[in-house]
Amino acid sequence: MKALVLSGGAGTRLRPITHTSAKQLVPVANKPVLFYGLEAIADAGVTEVGIVVGDTADEIREAVGDGSRFGVEVTYIPQDAPLGLAHAVLIAQDFLGDDDFVMYLGDNFIVGGITGLVEEFRADRPDAQILLTKVPNPTAFGVAELDAEGHVVALEEKPQQPKSDLALVGVYLFTPAIHEAVRSIKPSWRGELEITHAIQWLIDAERRVRSTTISGYWKDTGNVTDMLEVNRSVLETLQPLNEGTVDEASELIGRVRIEAGATVTGSRIVGPAIVGAGSVVSEAYIGPFTSVSEDCRIEDSEIEYSIVLRGSSVTGVRRVEASLIGRDVEVTPAPRHPSAHRLVLGDHSKVQISS
């Protein structure tokens, strides 16, 4: 069995962060989202992994390498444009050959991994197995319609009037039957080859399509709100560890991880929270569900329920919360006089100002 990991999307919902970084590499608890997926695939005993890459191919290659650090062997599959999930299967056919495979969206996060799902598929081997979960906003997802016995009868991509609240989770398992399906469908109104259409083709051809409804934790980390929520979920499992330097005037409360080379002076950190290697926390408060990446500076400030990426600083700011701060960012107070806000913002930025 092989794995096909999709890492070619543009990440428009995470702009401006994704103007300069692949969305799959935005860290959760100081580890890129993509890495959690690769670890889950390896834990399931799948070692041959094809990664579909697009405009951010160089960054993905640099981060993942040959895959040996995850216990897998990686083959990179270039995709000229994000033309749909079924298109990714189409261009990966040479890599996939006649093997069964799991397709994993690189920006998705599933607590508990996929080992049980892979074992279930191997035992029963339907032509397609999909994961479903109930969502409050099914119009944003591929949606499944089940009959009275729980069999999949229809799938629809981002329907205006959903027939259920069961959304497809970003993990799929297929036999080679899917290759005929992706070759047989046409692009949707979005100009993409939809995987929902390919699975519907299997249903119409009376091939076996099985679904598993999960009640556990799943998130598509495509926007800031979900990214912060996934960060919270991962930090809930954090084990306390102090490999840095913490002075006597500082207080660590609960599950706090201080990585090697980090320095904490005169500060209070309430977990679950993590401070990355080489970072400096001085005269500051870091509250629960906060991830501070490596080589950051948090000084004379308060921050909570936030993610701070590599090389950024928050200095002299009394309160920051529910925020995603990108790489090499400086957050400082505005001058008190004149009483005005001075902003330098990139495209697609979002700013909230307390007047």
Side-chain angles (χ1 to χ4, degrees):
M1 191 171 190
K2 294 176 180 175
L4 186 65
V5 178
L6 275 55
S7 297
T12 55
R13 290 178 294 157
L14 269 177
R15 287 175 177 168
I17 299 294
T18 49
H19 277 311
T20 54
S21 175
K23 64 177 179 177
Q24 298 84 7
L25 296 181
V26 176
V28 167
N30 287 5
K31 183 163 66 176
V33 172
L34 175 61
F35 289 10
Y36 291 98
L38 293 173
E39 290 170 354
I41 288 166
D43 289 343
V46 180
T47 58
E48 292 183 73
V49 179
I51 301 183
V52 177
V53 291
D55 291 343
T56 58
D58 291 345
E59 190 179 6
I60 298 288
R61 285 174 185 267
E62 183 179 355
V64 176
D66 63 3
S68 57
R69 63 183 289 193
F70 306 101
V72 300
E73 181 181 337
V74 169
T75 298
Y76 292 96
I77 303 166
Q79 186 181 34
D80 293 336
L83 298 175
L85 305 189
H87 180 261
V89 176
L90 192 66
I91 65 171
Q93 186 167 358
D94 287 346
F95 165 76
L96 296 168
D98 293 326
D99 292 309
D100 296 346
F101 66 98
V102 54
M103 184 168 76
Y104 197 111
L105 273 59
D107 60 350
N108 274 224
F109 187 90
I110 300 176
V111 170
I114 60 170
T115 300
L117 178 71
V118 170
E119 291 174 349
E120 183 182 330
F121 175 81
R122 281 175 162 155
D124 189 45
R125 204 166 174 265
D127 291 298
Q129 183 163 341
I130 58 176
L131 257 68
L132 304 174
T133 193
K134 290 189 176 183
V135 295
N137 56 333
T139 56
F141 300 94
V143 173
E145 181 184 357
L146 308 183
D147 64 16
E149 280 103 36
H151 300 130
V152 184
V153 294
L155 299 174
E156 192 173 2
E157 187 67 29
K158 297 180 173 60
Q160 293 297 314
Q161 297 184 330
K163 295 180 181 177
S164 82
D165 60 353
L166 293 171
L168 276 77
V169 173
V171 177
Y172 309 79
L173 295 108
F174 297 113
T175 68
I178 193 64
H179 296 304
E180 184 181 359
V182 299
R183 288 194 302 266
S184 301
I185 62 174
K186 303 296 182 185
S188 67
W189 61 271
R190 301 194 304 163
E192 297 185 3
L193 289 177
E194 310 285 2
I195 199 66
T196 47
H197 291 180
I199 299 171
Q200 184 67 52
W201 187 94
L202 293 174
I203 295 170
D204 295 340
E206 299 185 347
R207 307 299 291 262
R208 282 208 305 149
V209 175
R210 176 174 174 171
S211 69
T212 301
T213 301
I214 62 172
S215 56
Y217 192 85
W218 163 78
K219 280 288 183 184
D220 168 6
T221 61
N223 61 56
V224 173
T225 299
D226 286 344
M227 183 68 72
L228 291 173
E229 179 61 17
V230 170
N231 189 62
R232 182 201 64 77
S233 177
V234 175
L235 288 177
E236 287 278 21
T237 67
L238 189 73
Q239 296 300 314
L241 180 67
N242 180 12
E243 296 182 322
T245 302
V246 180
D247 72 356
E248 293 183 357
S250 297
E251 187 178 15
L252 306 183
I253 301 172
R255 288 165 293 160
V256 175
R257 175 168 293 184
I258 309 297
E259 297 187 337
T263 303
V264 180
T265 58
S267 298
R268 188 168 187 254
I269 303 178
V270 179
I274 184 169
V275 177
S279 288
V280 174
V281 179
S282 176
E283 305 298 328
Y285 166 76
I286 295 178
F289 309 120
T290 302
S291 294
V292 177
S293 193
E294 66 270 21
D295 300 321
C296 293
R297 174 174 288 273
I298 311 296
E299 185 175 357
D300 188 27
S301 299
E302 300 176 5
I303 186 167
E304 185 171 313
Y305 191 63
S306 295
I307 298 173
V308 183
L309 303 191
R310 185 189 65 236
S312 291
S313 64
V314 181
T315 306
V317 180
R318 296 320 309 160
R319 191 70 177 181
V320 175
E321 62 182 28
S323 298
L324 173 57
I325 297 172
R327 295 178 176 87
D328 301 311
V329 171
E330 295 181 8
V331 181
T332 60
R336 294 189 178 183
H337 300 287
S339 183
H341 301 287
R342 182 176 182 270
L343 307 174
V344 180
L345 303 172
D347 296 347
H348 307 285
S349 296
K350 293 183 180 180
V351 177
Q352 292 180 321
I353 297 175
S354 297
S355 299

